[in-house]
Amino acid sequence: MRRFLRPGHDPVRERLKRDLFQFNKTVEHGFPHQPSALGYSPCLRLMAIGTRSGAIKLYGAPGVEFMGLHEENNTVMQIHFIPDQCQLVTLLDDNSLHLWSLKQHGGASELREEHRFTLKGPPGSPPSATQITAVLPHSSREVLYLGTESGNIFVVELPSFRVLEDRTITPEAVLQRVPEDYCNRRSCELVEALREHPKNPDQILIGYSRGLIFLWDLQNNKVTHLFLGTQQLENLHWQRDGSKFVSCHYDGSYTQWPVSSDNRQPEPLENLVPYGPFPCKAISKIYWQTTKNGLPYIIFQGGMPRASYGDRHSISVVHGSQQTAFDFTSRVIDFFIIFSSEPTAEFDDPSAMVVLAEEELVVIDLKTAGWPAVHPPYLASLHCSAITCSHHVSNIPLKLWERIISAGSKQNIHYSNMPWPIDGGTSIAPDPPQRDLLLTGHEDGTVRFWDASGVCLHLLYKLSTVRVFLTDADPNDNMNTLGEDEWPPLRKVGTFDPYSDDPRLGIQKIYLCKYSGYLAVAGTAGQVLVMELNDEDAEHVVDHAEADLLQDQEGYRWKGHEKLKTRDGPVRFEAGFQPFVLVQCQPPAVVTSLALHSEWKLVAFGTSHGFGLFDHQQKRLVFVKCTLHPSDQLALEGPLSRVKSLKKSLRQSFRRIRRSRVSSRKRRGGSGNASEVQEANAKFDQDTLQEMELAPVQRKIEARSAEDSFTGFVRTLYFADTFLRDSSRHCPSLWAGTNGGTVYAFCLRVPPAERRMDEPVRAEQAKEIQLMHRAPVVGILVLDGHSTPLPEPLEVAHDLSKSPDMQGSHQLLVVSEEQFKVFTLPKVSSKLKLKLTALEGCRVRKVTVANFSSCKTDDYSENDLAVLTNLGDIQIISLPFLKLQIRYPCIRKEDVSGIASCVFTKYGQGFYLISPSEFERFSLSTKWLVEPRCIVDMPEVTSNNHVRPKSGMENTARKSRGSGRSSGGCGEDERKSGRLMEHALLNDESE
């Protein structure tokens, strides 16, 4: 049988791969991109958010999440839950209706689209005749009432979406009750609002845009009450007992109307313009909530004076003498009030206001004095300032975790202590096996620490680096301070603030040591801050040091931005991570790589000009190394001013291809006369233009010129205790890889602990490796004598890893964009090579070592390389033999920002940005899988329409989308197709 097996095919290994590897996109963290609609079910206590891309997301208690995607990818305009059912209806901008249900399938619940429907008018009728403007799910759960632009109200049966034509309410039927003088002045126009009577389900309130309002009797098909409004109508709201309702209008006013049996055409009780008398913006939505103390809550959106506050996005809350206009930093999409939904309750007693803004979700506690905001456990506004980098740390020690939470809790003293009010369902996902942190760097100079252990990405702590520097904004400014007599009483709420005081503050690299609590943060203007965790507020001076990366070079002039100015004297820092030293790179270019070794108390940093090493214990610069090539002029222009020349790019492309062609002719030994050469060159130039169009998909490995721009760009830095000089003594070392395919290795002499403060750290360059193809080096790794990656600093000291094998020979793995290559140490002779770039033009973008455990047994795990390419594929490559194990399509190759933002975890998971505000989480492991699983109590309705919980329990399924998520168990392997990659043993072969 062995004769019939494919070369390299091992059945045992194939079974093991199925036990180790499985690709799943599991959950989306953050805030939905471009939200467009909001819905809420008081019965289920679930909230639904629709987006412009056709996604619909349901949220309940922390960990309870569902997601669906309309095939049409049209904007979701409205969301309505069917009363007392696990069903909801969505209206899209193509005028289609969709019925969704939470149903049990295979022992788990999932959100499914049941039916879709488009309302059609009679032949020849205009589109406005059936353009839906208002939707009312009736409490009978049997029909929908659909208001249209033409003024008609259609009745549609559920769940079949069959139109009940005999029950259609036409404008002609309602206009019979309207006085002639009113009817002559205005027509009904479109249906603006439909509201069911809270006490009588046989009556609905119909509001037309021109201000006309009717109470319609469904049993007798007639108008019972007529309300003649004089202003353009925006919305309607019933009071709880059904004796009154409130209408809000385009001119910024609202009107209270009585509903009594003896007055069929009542006059309004009151008409108010809250922020008059000057012209005001429309009030687009209003609530009138009753309370036990008799003072109602009047809550409305808009209504601000047009001239002075026309650009504000506000919602006002009025309760007796208290009035606050909550001012949001982005447009308000919709909002709802959480109040008592018990049918027997006499009052509304509102507890919270939930506001969906364009860039964040804000919840206001209406029970606590001052109406503070509630800290959300999910739907975090990740992009409150644009994300510039991210860093994941697995398995955080409990002590460090508690100290970070303690520091964060001191920042949240202004938040309400109210439990999260949207608490439908119960999460039954297993407790996370470990504590994980996701750190995000932002454009405004902040670093946010997120709890990434489970389904909910929850903010633990926010660190700001701004206090170290002098900026235009005063950090003590409080935007929420209001004068006692200020009117309107505006109050800023929310965290979204996309504007940075200075783009140089942007965070570019983060490195956290979870064992020592040291944190290194590097920024756009060459600043490197080293911090340590302090549980108390402190005031101290931040030490400064400069690293001149061009000290040995002449004739260079930096054309980019200046360095940030620092504050003189002591600076006060709040509890948490506090900087104690600042290293300023000169020129102040973007820091492109960062490494921290907390055991040796060293931090390494790199820019487009070179790299340096700093001793943060002695606060002394150890050395700097300039990697700038004489032709690297672009590296001196800076990221904020650089505009790359198209002409220069084309010229370099022609030179590279011409050199390749000339060198190939030399190898063939061909010679000819001048005319033949000219003819060949002309044909070559013509072919080059055609070839350049196909370059992205046909590029092969070509030797790059040292004259290409940014060859000195330092891409990666790596600390290792290994054999660098000879095979008998190992020593600390620092490795650096550049954009030009060069690897530098430095031997370090770190004094022992007892003399650490007395003797300086010394460094000496020991090796310099130049890859022949000059591709950028994106990763460096040293394997010990057992071919295992070296442990992290202090990992062995904390008994969390075995000591590395220092008896056998070590190996050096250099990962460039185009190939993987293993060298022996200390001789640095080539041992093994794996070429990645083939006809597809594939290049490595991200690489990390991940540990994969078998789902069948706890006794087996292995370390492999997780690799992300520029095509959006993820490949798993074995160590140390560099064999491709499996390949998964993960990110669209056109999604350049998504690929650039990807970060892998230590245990085979990953995150990448699918929008500026959302991380997609994925897993490559069969064992490490974080996904929503929950129980939803299904409501059961009795004959008198009272709701009681159903005894059955359901589990939510893994959310699925059109991208084809795998939901199979351990061992499922649906993606075995992979790009063939050359794998060769090299002894003395040169690259």
Side-chain angles (χ1 to χ4, degrees):
M1 287 297 294
R2 295 183 181 275
R3 291 183 302 170
F4 299 102
L5 294 176
R6 295 193 306 273
H9 181 80
D10 182 356
V12 176
R13 179 61 187 174
E14 292 301 315
R15 284 195 298 271
L16 182 57
K17 283 162 60 174
R18 288 193 290 270
D19 295 344
L20 292 171
F21 312 123
Q22 178 178 288
F23 179 72
N24 289 284
K25 290 184 178 180
T26 56
V27 67
E28 291 175 3
H29 297 301
F31 185 76
H33 184 50
Q34 296 181 328
S36 56
L38 177 68
Y40 178 68
S41 169
C43 168
L44 299 176
R45 299 184 71 83
L46 294 177
M47 172 180 65
I49 296 176
T51 70
R52 293 188 199 173
S53 60
I56 178 171
K57 301 184 178 185
L58 272 61
Y59 299 93
V64 178
E65 297 186 12
F66 298 90
M67 178 179 169
L69 187 64
H70 295 87
E71 291 183 4
E72 296 80 1
N73 290 338
N74 289 82
T75 299
V76 180
M77 302 298 292
Q78 296 182 36
I79 301 174
H80 300 273
F81 280 88
I82 307 300
D84 308 328
Q85 294 287 305
C86 282
Q87 291 183 313
L88 64 154
V89 172
T90 56
L91 172 67
L92 305 189
D93 63 353
D94 64 355
N95 206 42
S96 63
L97 286 167
H98 302 255
L99 178 65
W100 297 81
S101 298
L102 283 171
K103 285 195 171 181
Q104 186 171 0
H105 175 72
S109 290
E110 57 186 26
L111 183 63
R112 284 186 171 185
E113 184 177 0
E114 297 289 324
H115 298 284
R116 64 186 64 189
F117 166 74
T118 301
L119 187 62
K120 296 180 180 179
S125 61
S128 62
T130 54
Q131 184 68 42
I132 300 171
T133 57
V135 179
L136 172 63
H138 195 261
S139 60
S140 65
R141 301 172 296 280
E142 296 175 353
V143 292
L144 288 177
Y145 291 89
L146 307 176
T148 63
E149 280 189 4
S150 63
N152 289 301
I153 299 170
F154 296 91
V155 185
V156 175
E157 190 177 48
L158 287 176
S160 64
F161 279 133
R162 182 172 64 91
V163 179
L164 306 177
E165 297 181 0
D166 58 328
R167 296 173 62 178
T168 300
I169 305 171
T170 63
E172 292 76 22
V174 298
L175 285 173
Q176 294 175 4
R177 286 287 310 275
V178 179
E180 284 191 17
D181 59 337
Y182 190 95
C183 188
N184 291 336
R185 285 190 295 113
R186 59 188 69 219
S187 61
C188 289
E189 287 204 351
L190 62 86
V191 178
E192 197 69 59
L194 294 171
R195 299 287 182 264
E196 182 180 338
H197 195 291
K199 298 297 183 181
N200 185 359
D202 291 331
Q203 292 182 339
I204 62 172
L205 198 62
I206 305 170
Y208 293 93
S209 64
R210 283 300 180 95
L212 198 58
I213 305 169
F214 296 96
L215 188 62
W216 183 264
D217 187 338
L218 299 175
Q219 290 292 333
N220 302 310
N221 289 327
K222 67 176 185 179
V223 175
T224 62
H225 290 74
L226 172 64
F227 308 89
L228 301 178
T230 58
Q231 294 294 333
Q232 182 173 322
L233 181 69
E234 291 290 321
N235 220 318
L236 298 170
H237 177 76
W238 277 108
Q239 293 186 24
R240 190 178 187 94
D241 60 1
S243 64
K244 305 181 191 72
F245 71 89
V246 183
S247 62
C248 54
H249 303 276
Y250 181 76
D251 66 343
S253 67
Y254 66 83
T255 305
Q256 190 177 17
W257 303 85
V259 180
S260 58
S261 57
D262 56 347
N263 189 357
R264 302 298 182 179
Q265 189 174 321
E267 292 296 322
L269 293 175
E270 63 174 344
N271 181 35
L272 291 177
V273 182
Y275 297 111
F278 301 106
C280 294
K281 294 178 65 178
I283 295 180
S284 56
K285 190 172 184 177
I286 190 167
Y287 281 86
W288 188 294
Q289 302 277 281
T290 57
T291 61
K292 293 177 182 177
N293 64 11
L295 293 174
Y297 277 85
I298 306 169
I299 305 169
F300 56 89
Q301 177 184 347
M304 285 282 134
R306 285 187 180 275
S308 303
Y309 301 95
D311 59 340
R312 300 299 181 100
H313 314 288
S314 68
I315 295 178
S316 298
V317 180
V318 182
H319 179 58
S321 61
Q322 302 177 64
Q323 181 166 345
T324 299
F326 293 100
D327 187 12
F328 299 87
T329 55
S330 58
R331 183 172 63 92
V332 174
I333 303 298
D334 200 355
F335 75 102
F336 61 85
I337 306 299
I338 297 178
F339 56 91
S340 175
S341 59
E342 290 293 328
T344 56
E346 186 178 352
F347 302 101
D348 294 308
D349 285 328
S351 58
M353 176 174 70
V354 181
V355 183
L356 176 66
E358 199 165 37
E359 304 293 351
E360 62 186 326
L361 184 81
V362 178
V363 178
I364 303 296
D365 178 3
L366 299 177
K367 288 288 189 182
T368 303
W371 300 331
V374 182
H375 196 55
Y378 49 71
L379 286 174
S381 182
L382 299 175
H383 64 316
C384 45
S385 174
I387 294 176
T388 50
C389 66
S390 54
H391 174 66
H392 188 274
V393 188
S394 299
N395 207 7
I396 302 293
L398 179 60
K399 186 176 181 180
L400 176 62
W401 186 265
E402 291 174 342
R403 293 178 70 189
I404 292 174
I405 290 177
S406 174
S409 64
K410 295 176 182 178
Q411 297 176 336
N412 296 333
I413 57 175
H414 300 297
Y415 282 102
S416 166
N417 294 322
M418 166 189 273
W420 184 244
I422 306 166
D423 54 2
T426 305
S427 175
I428 59 167
D431 291 335
Q434 61 185 30
R435 295 168 292 274
D436 289 352
L437 275 178
L438 179 66
L439 282 68
T440 53
H442 297 265
E443 191 180 46
D444 63 354
T446 60
V447 178
R448 285 170 168 80
F449 290 63
W450 305 92
D451 178 0
S453 311
V455 172
C456 296
L457 194 68
H458 181 61
L459 181 64
L460 299 178
Y461 164 68
K462 184 180 81 169
L463 161 71
S464 177
T465 63
V466 178
R467 286 186 177 272
V468 180
F469 306 102
L470 288 170
T471 61
D472 295 336
D474 185 349
N476 296 316
D477 282 348
N478 186 357
M479 299 179 67
N480 288 334
T481 54
L482 291 174
E484 292 183 4
D485 300 326
E486 183 170 340
W487 188 262
L490 288 165
R491 189 176 106 197
K492 280 275 187 193
V493 287
T495 59
F496 179 71
D497 183 11
Y499 305 108
S500 172
D501 296 328
D502 192 325
R504 296 174 296 173
L505 290 168
I507 305 298
Q508 298 296 330
K509 295 292 175 183
I510 305 169
Y511 197 104
L512 172 67
C513 175
K514 61 186 178 183
Y515 303 112
S516 65
Y518 283 115
L519 172 69
V521 171
T524 302
Q527 70 270 31
V528 180
L529 287 164
V530 185
M531 313 184 189
E532 58 184 345
L533 194 55
N534 190 342
D535 298 328
E536 302 295 334
D537 294 1
E539 186 173 1
H540 61 259
V541 175
V542 178
D543 291 303
H544 296 75
E546 284 210 353
D548 183 6
L549 297 175
L550 296 180
Q551 59 182 4
D552 297 326
Q553 304 289 328
E554 294 182 0
Y556 288 103
R557 185 171 62 88
W558 171 246
K559 304 174 186 177
H561 50 263
E562 296 180 352
K563 68 176 183 179
L564 285 160
K565 295 180 180 179
T566 56
R567 295 182 182 273
D568 296 327
V571 181
R572 184 161 187 82
F573 298 100
E574 56 188 20
F577 285 94
Q578 299 172 350
F580 62 89
V581 67
L582 165 67
V583 183
Q584 178 62 57
C585 298
Q586 290 287 11
V590 174
V591 177
T592 57
S593 54
L594 185 68
L596 176 71
H597 200 292
S598 50
E599 187 173 359
W600 302 337
K601 304 293 193 297
L602 299 174
V603 60
F605 49 88
T607 71
S608 54
H609 307 117
F611 61 96
L613 181 66
F614 186 81
D615 178 354
H616 65 76
Q617 184 167 359
Q618 293 188 9
K619 299 175 183 176
R620 170 184 168 273
L621 189 65
V622 179
F623 78 90
V624 293
K625 170 72 175 178
C626 181
T627 58
L628 200 63
H629 190 273
S631 65
D632 276 353
Q633 290 301 319
L634 283 179
L636 292 168
E637 294 183 10
L640 303 180
S641 63
R642 182 174 68 251
V643 179
K644 194 170 183 179
S645 167
L646 176 62
K647 183 185 294 185
K648 185 171 184 179
S649 299
L650 289 171
R651 187 185 305 122
Q652 290 175 345
S653 299
F654 276 117
R655 285 177 180 172
R656 186 184 299 120
I657 299 171
R658 186 175 288 114
R659 281 195 300 269
S660 175
R661 185 64 62 92
V662 170
S663 62
S664 64
R665 283 203 297 268
K666 287 181 179 178
R667 286 195 295 270
R668 290 196 301 267
S671 61
N673 55 35
S675 61
E676 290 176 343
V677 172
Q678 291 176 357
E679 183 180 351
N681 284 341
K683 184 177 187 302
F684 163 71
D685 290 341
Q686 183 178 2
D687 293 343
T688 299
L689 290 173
Q690 297 175 354
E691 187 175 340
M692 286 176 65
E693 297 177 3
L694 302 176
V697 294
Q698 290 191 350
R699 187 184 177 282
K700 296 183 179 180
I701 292 181
E702 295 281 359
R704 304 186 186 196
S705 168
E707 297 179 2
D708 288 351
S709 295
F710 287 108
T711 55
F713 186 115
V714 179
R715 293 285 291 267
T716 184
L717 290 164
Y718 177 70
F719 285 108
D721 187 357
T722 187
F723 300 93
L724 195 53
R725 292 195 178 278
D726 55 57
S727 56
S728 59
R729 290 178 300 172
H730 57 88
C731 66
S733 62
L734 172 65
W735 301 76
T738 72
N739 220 40
T742 306
V743 177
Y744 299 95
F746 281 75
C747 278
L748 307 178
R749 183 189 174 278
V750 181
E754 61 272 12
R755 299 195 304 273
R756 184 64 178 82
M757 289 299 294
D758 302 326
E759 299 179 11
V761 176
R762 302 191 182 278
E764 182 181 355
Q765 184 168 340
K767 306 286 183 185
E768 181 174 337
I769 307 167
Q770 179 62 61
L771 303 180
M772 297 300 291
H773 61 289
R774 298 183 182 274
V777 177
V778 296
I780 298 173
L781 183 68
V782 172
L783 307 177
D784 69 7
H786 290 147
S787 298
T788 302
L790 296 182
E792 296 177 17
L794 296 176
E795 191 173 11
V796 175
H798 285 75
D799 297 325
L800 296 173
S801 175
K802 295 180 180 178
S803 298
D805 179 16
M806 308 304 271
Q807 303 301 319
S809 60
H810 285 196
Q811 301 173 77
L812 170 69
L813 171 63
V814 177
V815 181
S816 75
E817 283 190 354
E818 299 175 350
Q819 71 177 20
F820 302 78
K821 192 164 187 179
V822 175
F823 300 87
T824 60
L825 287 176
K827 291 186 177 180
V828 192
S829 58
S830 178
K831 180 180 179 182
L832 194 67
K833 180 166 65 175
L834 175 65
K835 292 182 180 178
L836 181 70
T837 298
L839 294 179
E840 298 89 344
C842 182
R843 294 186 185 182
V844 176
R845 284 289 178 259
K846 305 277 182 175
V847 62
T848 194
V849 176
N851 183 268
F852 293 93
S853 299
S854 171
C855 65
K856 294 289 182 64
T857 174
D858 295 333
D859 299 333
Y860 183 81
S861 67
E862 66 180 41
N863 292 308
D864 297 287
L865 290 177
V867 179
L868 175 69
T869 73
N870 63 324
L871 302 179
D873 293 337
I874 291 179
Q875 302 179 6
I876 299 175
I877 297 171
S878 67
L879 286 174
F881 300 112
L882 301 183
K883 291 186 177 180
L884 175 65
Q885 300 301 297
I886 203 158
R887 185 188 73 170
Y888 302 112
C890 180
I891 311 173
R892 293 181 301 107
K893 64 180 180 181
E894 297 84 9
D895 186 5
V896 178
S897 60
I899 293 172
S901 66
C902 183
V903 56
F904 289 107
T905 77
K906 191 176 179 180
Y907 295 98
Q909 297 186 68
F911 303 81
Y912 68 93
L913 288 172
I914 54 175
S915 74
S917 59
E918 290 173 290
F919 273 114
E920 175 80 75
R921 187 178 193 136
F922 62 87
S923 175
L924 306 170
S925 169
T926 57
K927 194 166 184 178
W928 294 87
L929 200 65
V930 175
E931 58 183 350
R933 295 190 66 83
C934 57
I935 295 173
V936 176
D937 291 324
M938 302 290 288
E940 184 175 292
V941 184
T942 60
S943 58
N944 58 357
N945 281 351
H946 286 186
V947 180
R948 61 183 176 86
K950 193 175 180 179
S951 58
M953 296 193 301
E954 299 188 351
N955 300 340
T956 62
R958 207 168 285 139
K959 61 192 177 104
S960 58
R961 297 189 302 184
S963 58
R965 299 178 183 229
S966 167
S967 58
C970 173
E972 180 175 344
D973 186 2
E974 296 180 350
R975 301 170 177 85
K976 293 184 181 179
S977 60
R979 182 179 299 110
L980 293 177
M981 303 199 299
E982 181 183 352
H983 179 261
L985 280 171
L986 301 174
N987 294 322
D988 300 321
E989 179 185 343
S990 62
E991 281 192 358

